[in-house]
Amino acid sequence: MTDRTTPSAVRRLVAGPGGVVRVAGVLCLLVALVVRGPVDTALFALVLAGLMVPPAAGAPRWLDAAYGVGLLAAAWSGALELYQAVAWLDVVMHLVVTGLVAAVAYLLLARRTGAVVDARAVATRAERIGLVVVTVGLGLTLSVAWEVGEYLGNAYIDPEIYVGYEDTVGDLVAGGLGSAVAGLWLTARRGRRGTAHVADASHGARSAT
């Protein structure tokens, strides 16, 4: 069983546009290991681990790829010190990347735990509101964890890592807004599919009787 399952799992990881991004993530880790040093190597190792999440969450192909591109872009922006060179880049990254991460996190939570409603099955207004609230909560929680990581990195690893009150608050606000947009997208796109699926199933049941 294991011999059959492992190749299938590997194929899923390298299939489609998301698979291309994961291969790029491996290459980025190798470049960091050889050229960039231990801090960037640790960063890209963390990113590569994150790239493995969308397949486990059953994320759509485009979301899988966009999520991966966002993580790699954010990592390289930090490694190449682009955040210091481009003042608005940090906010944009927190807005976009946090939204993508929050969407994938919601899908993972729904698929792996059943603790929240599957986005494809959302139909009622209460379910849509709940989906957005949970997605925002996930995004903000992950944003806080990232800010804590930045603080610890500044204090114990590299003082060049920028931290500050305004920076932290701005990042959290941007992450929250991005997560809200992600939640609304999940309710609009996935919700319509779920409603259509329920309607088709009901129609089929009536036809059968």
Side-chain angles (χ1 to χ4, degrees):
M1 179 67 70
T2 303
D3 291 339
R4 295 179 181 178
T5 303
T6 301
S8 177
V10 172
R11 283 195 295 270
R12 285 197 298 271
L13 286 175
V14 299
V20 174
V21 177
R22 276 180 282 279
V23 172
V26 173
L27 296 176
C28 289
L29 177 59
L30 293 175
V31 170
L33 183 62
V34 174
V35 179
R36 301 295 304 180
V39 174
D40 287 345
T41 298
L43 173 62
F44 281 100
L46 182 61
V47 168
L48 184 59
L51 295 179
M52 304 301 167
V53 176
R61 288 162 61 93
W62 81 264
L63 178 58
D64 182 4
Y67 164 97
V69 170
L71 289 187
L72 289 176
W76 277 116
S77 294
L80 299 177
E81 299 184 350
L82 296 182
Y83 293 124
Q84 291 86 339
V86 184
W88 49 264
L89 184 59
D90 185 50
V91 173
V92 171
M93 284 295 183
H94 278 277
L95 180 72
V96 176
V97 177
T98 304
L100 293 169
V101 171
V104 171
Y106 183 94
L107 296 178
L108 181 68
L109 189 64
R111 184 177 188 183
R112 295 297 177 177
T113 71
V116 294
V117 179
D118 189 327
R120 293 169 297 183
V122 167
T124 67
R125 181 181 180 185
E127 288 175 338
R128 290 193 293 271
I129 293 173
L131 189 156
V132 174
V133 170
V134 171
T135 305
V136 172
L138 289 169
L140 287 175
T141 299
L142 294 169
S143 293
V144 169
W146 180 260
E147 295 301 321
V148 171
E150 283 191 343
Y151 168 77
L152 294 175
N154 172 271
Y156 300 108
I157 299 175
D158 185 357
E160 293 298 320
I161 297 175
Y162 180 73
V163 293
Y165 180 78
E166 292 184 0
D167 176 72
T168 298
V169 173
D171 291 347
L172 292 176
V173 170
L177 289 175
S179 301
V181 172
L184 291 172
W185 177 83
L186 286 173
T187 63
R189 188 175 181 85
R190 308 290 283 187
R192 283 199 299 271
R193 290 182 180 180
T195 303
H197 176 74
V198 172
D200 290 343
S202 300
H203 178 71
R206 287 194 299 270
S207 299
T209 56

